[in-house]
Amino acid sequence: MCGIVGYVGKHSCAEILLGTLEKLEYRGYDSAGIAVFDHDNIEVRKAQGRLKNLRERMEKDGVPSGVAGIGHTRWATHGEPSDINSHPHNGGNVTIVHNGIIENYKEIKNFLIGKGRHFVSQTDTEVAAQLLDYYYNGDPIEAIVETMHNVRGSFALGIMFKDFPGTVFAVRKESPLIVGIGAEESFIASDVTAILNYTRDYYLLEPNEIAVLSPYGTNIYDLHYNKLSKPLMHADWDENAAEKQGYAHFMLKEIHEQPEAVKTTIRSRITDGLPDLEECGITLEMLRGFRNIHVVACGTAMHAGLVGKYIIEELARVPVNVDIASEFRYRDPLVTKDDLVIIISQSGETADSLAALRLSKELGAKTLAIVNAKGSSIAREADMLIYTLAGPEIAVASTKAYMVQISVMYLLAFSIALANGAINEDKCRELTAELVKMPERIEKAVQLEENSQYAASTLVNAESLLYIGRGLDYALSMEGSLKLKEISYIHSESYAAGELKHGTISLITEGMPAIAVVTQKRLVEKTVSNMKEMKARGAYVIAVCAEGISIESDAADYIISLDECPDILAPMTAVVPLQLIAYYTSVLKGNDVDKPRNLAKSVTVE
Ligand code: F6R
């Protein structure tokens, strides 16, 4: 939520700040701004809307020249998107950009108003800027330390002090921030993808660490002014991974990247035909004997957990609860030291998932994180960690991250089942061999792009639609429905097919579209009956089914048929048309596919 960047070097930085912000627009895009030291002055340009509005503003008001500055792309939390509420914000001697939330901003604002200060915006950011200025007495670090002692919340700040031209300060509490180190230049950024065009070397700033980027070098301090020596990290992500490379949208590119992403994620975790998580430091012994497994996550990652529930319960016969992280953390959950809690997160920074992880640890459970972003908070804090190796996911609507998350769930399910003796080695080998074939099958599903495009054309004018399925197909239909809602803005519901008759079927009117996922052979007849019931009431039914499943014309109007694969692995192929249907519906509606309204990719606030 919100992206922040900063630059100190030898080059004129306005364009560098805009270029790095472009890479962070997925974190928020309702306004943007930069502040640059122009000699002794801090020049600020900001504008509501996308970065192009900021560029236009700069064409009109002039591009600030200078070699040090900070920038911001916003996802509004306090105060509507407007020029005034856009960052950077000023508080006298101090200009800042901010990602996250200052929870006690009201209290601080009242305190500062009592001291005679005035505010021009509705943001918590301006409060932080004014507080920094209030504590500023010529020593920036002292002001930052004092501020950190008095603000609560989850946030990261990029800061410039008028009296220190050419120097950028940064600090964080929870919200991610990295410090990039290039040749005679340094950066701050919410995410390493922002700076890949300039450098791959970076420091991970920990909570309560202060970075000072000056023309004379970059240093990091703790709140006691101790200079820290930290390991320099190296990003091995290909810089092209964060470019569209000829695709119309990142989402489409990422859908196409799925076969490769799965291959990369599973390849090094299979030895002699069996799952082998030892490269992640996880042995079979560590997965044995848990009484309950809880999978906790948000949104699409939670849907990956639902697939995990079905497969772990089926293969390993261990009860699995899937929880929405924001519910789990406030529900006093029944988690004990005999339980395993699996946290799934692409970004590794989702505030609720991180809180759920910490709570699980407090409750004594063993925790295992499935995370895509290297070095993220969830990755660092979990007892066990399996990285999904999807490379950066830029589109706000998650596709390849979901695919690799479920790939890891398969590896885990096979391993837990083997560890508990619920399946023998032969069965495990057989399942693993089928998993290895999945990238090829996913590729074939991606090639059905035109069929999905056609299906999308039948939905584009719908006001509402239903997704149905049973078992794993139900888990999948939830993901299909979320994807469509996110980017097409068409309302949809996903329903367990057998549950329709208990109320929801009353929504069906002539021509209403419905998407049925039918891949589980033992459930086909049941789901097909439900499709017929919908069709008899006027629904236009699209079926996404596995090859070999025959669906009569009184059950579906349009069928997308996938390659044959074992039922248990079918979510990996069946999700692809659901993603493509959502994608093309959004394209046909003329929506901004990669940056859907009101959303941001990394949800670092509650
Ligand atoms: C939907 C989507 C979100 C995320 C959710 C969790 O396409 O991307 O629902 O899945 O916000 O994010 P992570 O995985 O970063 O914890």
Side-chain angles (χ1 to χ4, degrees):
M1 312 241 109
C2 299
I4 66 180
V5 294
Y7 175 83
V8 172
K10 294 207 172 321
H11 302 286
S12 175
C13 72
E15 196 45 53
I16 295 174
L17 292 172
L18 290 176
T20 47
L21 282 177
E22 245 159 43
K23 299 278 183 341
L24 292 185
E25 253 195 315
Y26 71 87
R27 303 177 74 90
Y29 30 82
D30 56 45
S31 58
I34 61 169
V36 173
F37 274 114
D38 203 343
H39 300 100
D40 290 348
N41 286 327
I42 296 177
E43 289 280 330
V44 174
R45 302 283 184 277
K46 49 188 186 176
Q48 185 186 340
R50 298 285 163 89
L51 273 173
K52 75 174 180 27
N53 298 10
L54 176 61
R55 284 188 187 279
E56 281 164 18
R57 175 73 41 94
M58 281 164 59
E59 270 166 31
K60 217 167 104 231
D61 297 349
V63 178
S65 70
V67 294
I70 51 181
H72 188 265
T73 174
R74 180 169 187 245
W75 187 86
T77 55
H78 296 73
E80 62 187 10
S82 68
D83 285 358
I84 289 278
N85 287 333
S86 308
H87 303 208
H89 284 278
N90 182 264
N93 288 293
V94 186
T95 301
I96 71 169
V97 288
H98 160 219
N99 158 23
I101 284 183
I102 312 285
E103 282 168 5
N104 55 339
Y105 82 102
K106 273 197 187 138
E107 234 169 280
I108 301 172
K109 190 169 182 174
N110 288 337
F111 165 78
L112 290 170
I113 288 172
K115 298 281 173 197
R117 291 193 170 241
H118 299 284
F119 290 84
V120 294
S121 78
Q122 300 153 296
T123 62
D124 51 346
T125 310
E126 191 188 359
V127 174
Q130 296 244 21
L131 189 67
L132 277 159
D133 186 58
Y134 174 78
Y135 289 126
Y136 179 61
N137 216 350
D139 181 346
I141 303 271
E142 201 179 288
I144 293 171
V145 169
E146 213 44 56
T147 301
M148 292 301 281
H149 285 145
N150 285 283
V151 288
R152 284 198 314 272
S154 160
F155 57 85
L157 303 174
I159 313 164
M160 303 197 323
F161 289 83
K162 202 153 78 46
D163 303 342
F164 289 76
T167 302
V168 166
F169 298 82
V171 69
R172 69 169 276 225
K173 214 176 214 175
E174 308 299 350
S175 298
L177 199 64
I178 59 109
V179 179
I181 304 295
E184 296 189 87
E185 56 189 4
S186 49
F187 303 80
I188 57 166
S190 302
D191 179 333
V192 72
T193 51
I195 59 163
L196 286 180
N197 284 341
Y198 301 94
T199 181
R200 283 151 186 286
D201 295 327
Y202 65 97
Y203 295 111
L204 275 172
L205 205 63
E206 300 288 342
N208 296 317
E209 287 180 355
I210 303 167
V212 183
L213 285 63
S214 85
Y216 314 105
T218 298
N219 291 306
I220 297 175
Y221 302 91
D222 65 15
L223 293 187
H224 304 291
Y225 224 144
N226 297 313
K227 197 161 146 186
L228 304 172
S229 148
K230 290 171 68 78
L232 194 61
M233 319 284 285
H234 185 77
D236 51 12
W237 282 352
D238 178 357
E239 73 206 55
N240 291 328
E243 305 290 342
K244 278 193 230 154
Q245 291 179 300
Y247 285 96
H249 299 97
F250 279 111
M251 183 176 175
L252 187 61
K253 176 184 173 238
E254 288 160 6
I255 290 173
H256 279 260
E257 283 172 348
Q258 295 183 111
E260 201 50 45
V262 171
K263 231 185 262 174
T264 315
T265 298
I266 64 173
R267 193 167 32 207
S268 56
R269 281 87 184 254
I270 294 175
T271 310
D272 294 335
L274 287 172
D276 175 3
L277 298 171
E278 289 210 19
E279 76 143 35
C280 314
I282 302 173
T283 60
L284 283 190
E285 183 53 40
M286 290 160 81
L287 297 174
R288 188 168 296 143
F290 288 110
R291 232 178 35 190
N292 293 293
I293 297 177
H294 307 263
V295 186
V296 189
C298 303
T300 288
M302 189 273 290
H303 292 159
L306 283 173
V307 170
K309 170 183 170 70
Y310 282 96
I311 60 179
I312 296 173
E313 287 190 343
E314 180 176 333
L315 295 173
R317 310 307 294 160
V318 182
V320 181
N321 309 309
V322 180
D323 250 298
I324 295 169
S326 54
E327 290 293 312
F328 178 89
R329 63 182 290 193
Y330 293 118
R331 209 192 51 228
D332 196 4
L334 287 171
V335 172
T336 71
K337 62 177 181 27
D338 300 323
D339 295 353
L340 171 68
V341 177
I342 302 175
I343 306 282
I344 308 179
S345 176
Q346 188 287 127
S347 62
E349 299 292 351
T350 300
D352 286 317
S353 305
L354 180 59
L357 168 67
R358 289 177 180 164
L359 173 63
S360 307
K361 288 177 82 169
E362 267 168 42
L363 294 170
K366 270 271 168 290
T367 57
L368 187 159
I370 300 174
V371 171
N372 198 45
K374 299 246 172 84
S376 52
S377 305
I378 294 175
R380 281 179 291 149
E381 293 189 26
D383 301 318
M384 295 179 267
L385 167 67
I386 305 177
Y387 276 123
T388 52
L389 306 174
E393 188 179 64
I394 308 292
V396 166
S398 181
T399 53
K400 67 172 176 173
Y402 172 85
M403 185 67 90
V404 291
Q405 284 160 357
I406 61 175
S407 313
V408 169
M409 288 317 279
Y410 284 107
L411 288 172
L412 258 182
F414 301 168
S415 305
I416 297 171
L418 188 62
N420 284 349
I423 58 171
N424 61 24
E425 227 178 80
D426 287 348
K427 177 71 184 166
C428 193
R429 233 177 254 291
E430 191 188 304
L431 287 164
T432 310
E434 291 294 342
L435 180 64
V436 170
K437 291 185 199 153
M438 290 314 289
E440 215 175 297
R441 293 168 176 151
I442 297 166
E443 185 59 59
K444 288 196 182 147
V446 175
Q447 283 163 16
L448 296 174
E449 198 164 334
E450 276 181 18
N451 306 55
S452 304
Q453 201 169 353
Y454 174 77
S457 72
T458 67
L459 309 181
V460 71
N461 293 320
E463 276 181 12
S464 178
L465 68 142
L466 286 174
Y467 283 75
I468 63 159
R470 283 172 185 257
L472 273 171
D473 291 337
Y474 172 44
L476 208 58
S477 69
M478 288 193 203
E479 176 55 10
S481 170
L482 176 66
K483 217 78 320 174
L484 188 84
K485 279 185 280 235
E486 266 187 289
I487 57 173
S488 76
Y489 315 144
I490 298 175
H491 171 255
S492 74
E493 299 263 357
S494 71
Y495 253 80
E499 187 66 8
L500 274 184
K501 281 200 274 293
H502 299 283
T504 314
I505 202 162
S506 70
L507 290 175
I508 295 178
T509 52
E510 192 59 36
M512 179 184 186
I515 298 184
V517 187
V518 202
T519 66
Q520 303 298 298
K521 295 186 195 68
R522 71 192 168 87
L523 298 170
V524 170
E525 277 178 23
K526 307 281 173 207
T527 309
V528 166
S529 303
N530 303 129
M531 290 157 67
K532 287 183 183 169
E533 287 156 9
M534 290 198 297
K535 218 167 130 43
R537 286 159 181 81
Y540 178 87
V541 179
I542 298 166
V544 172
C545 65
E547 196 182 64
I549 290 179
S550 83
I551 292 178
E552 307 103 50
S553 59
D554 60 344
D557 296 275
Y558 187 68
I559 297 174
I560 300 179
S561 185
L562 299 154
D563 227 33
E564 171 71 37
C565 81
D567 287 9
I568 199 166
L569 289 160
M572 297 184 87
T573 51
V575 73
V576 176
L578 302 184
Q579 296 167 339
L580 285 166
I581 289 171
Y583 171 77
Y584 278 108
T585 308
S586 177
V587 170
L588 289 170
K589 293 195 80 166
N591 295 347
D592 189 342
V593 177
D594 286 336
K595 299 189 184 81
R597 72 179 174 216
N598 303 339
L599 289 173
K601 190 147 187 79
S602 185
V603 186
T604 52
V605 295
E606 272 193 57

